[in-house]
Amino acid sequence: MRHHSVVGLVLVLLSAVACAAQTQAAGAQAEGKPKPDPEALRKYAGRYELEVGLIPVSTLDVTLEGGELFVKPSLVRKRKLIRKSKNVFRDEVEGARYRFQTDDEGQVVGLTFPYEGAEYTAARVRLPPPSTSGNTTFRLKGHPGAQVVALAGAFNNWNQSQFLFGREGDEWVCRIDLEPGRYGYKFIVDGNWLLDPSNPETEEDAAGNINNVLEVKPR
């Protein structure tokens, strides 16, 4: 019995030594592994856009925050992207695969992502500066943490990346020039469409969407 006890003790000690060695080796390997370079991820940051109405996801805003990449698709919350290979990432919420497309010069030009069993590629767009001058002013209070607030309507074929709001005090403001007429419009806050809280005038369009209505009278 004593012989068996000694053998068992020796096996336990050997196992502990092996585990410690493995832990030390793993730590050394982790220390030697280069950390992701935030500047290398910066090239992916930007807005990617699909045609409005194709699927509910019409924009994807990719941001670099704290050295990590995040994506905010339309209508859903922002999620972190985990790098899997050169241009392929998976989101931390659903494990969905995001693949950045590049041109012959290595410039990022698009983002392929899954939606309901199919893949779609959103083209990268360059956002203009906020629209700060014009004869018509739109205002939106609150939303201090928003990244991109846009104005879309019949006046610009519902383009969601053309007219951007700028932050002024405690509200977002966008000014554009409009000819006299009647226009449907909506605000878009980080990819989420919403009605103008300050305008009670609304109507339903042919597709069943409820939009604000603005009538610009001749001056």
Side-chain angles (χ1 to χ4, degrees):
M1 292 295 293
R2 180 168 180 168
H3 173 72
H4 290 159
S5 299
V6 171
V7 171
L9 180 59
V10 170
L11 292 175
V12 169
L13 290 173
L14 289 175
S15 178
V17 170
C19 288
Q22 290 177 356
T23 301
Q24 184 176 5
Q29 183 177 5
E31 289 178 1
K33 185 178 180 180
K35 296 181 178 179
D37 180 9
E39 289 305 313
L41 298 176
R42 190 175 300 280
K43 68 178 182 179
Y44 300 110
R47 166 162 284 197
Y48 300 81
E49 185 176 280
L50 282 175
E51 178 185 348
V52 173
L54 186 63
I55 58 174
V57 176
S58 53
T59 60
L60 302 99
D61 290 314
V62 178
T63 55
L64 183 64
E65 303 172 34
E68 296 183 297
L69 215 57
F70 291 81
V71 62
K72 168 64 179 71
S74 304
L75 309 178
V76 299
R77 71 181 181 85
K78 182 169 62 177
R79 63 276 316 273
K80 186 192 301 184
L81 289 177
I82 309 300
R83 193 170 202 166
K84 292 300 179 181
S85 61
K86 183 178 180 181
N87 291 326
V88 176
F89 296 74
R90 289 196 181 275
D91 81 52
E92 66 172 350
V93 176
E94 301 172 347
R97 183 172 180 264
Y98 289 76
R99 186 173 72 255
F100 290 91
Q101 306 293 337
T102 57
D103 61 16
D104 293 339
E105 297 178 353
Q107 300 296 314
V108 178
V109 296
L111 176 57
T112 298
F113 65 99
Y115 182 80
E116 293 189 348
E119 282 197 338
Y120 296 86
T121 298
R124 190 174 194 173
V125 296
R126 185 180 296 276
L127 290 175
S131 183
T132 58
S133 63
N135 62 18
T136 306
T137 301
F138 298 84
R139 299 179 183 275
L140 177 64
K141 289 187 177 298
H143 303 276
Q147 297 290 323
V148 180
V149 180
L151 168 69
F155 40 76
N156 71 339
N157 199 30
W158 298 95
N159 186 314
Q160 56 205 319
S161 301
Q162 180 182 9
F163 297 133
L164 300 190
F165 285 72
R167 192 71 177 170
E168 295 183 7
D170 64 346
E171 61 183 2
W172 294 92
V173 179
C174 179
R175 299 179 180 89
I176 63 173
D177 281 318
L178 288 179
E179 295 294 329
R182 183 179 174 86
Y183 303 96
Y185 73 95
K186 250 179 180 175
F187 298 157
I188 314 166
V189 179
D190 289 341
N192 301 318
W193 295 72
L194 73 155
L195 293 170
D196 180 352
S198 66
N199 182 4
E201 296 296 324
T202 61
E203 67 179 14
E204 184 176 340
D205 63 19
N209 301 306
I210 303 298
N211 304 313
N212 286 110
V213 177
L214 173 67
E215 185 171 354
V216 179
K217 299 183 181 298
R219 297 181 181 274

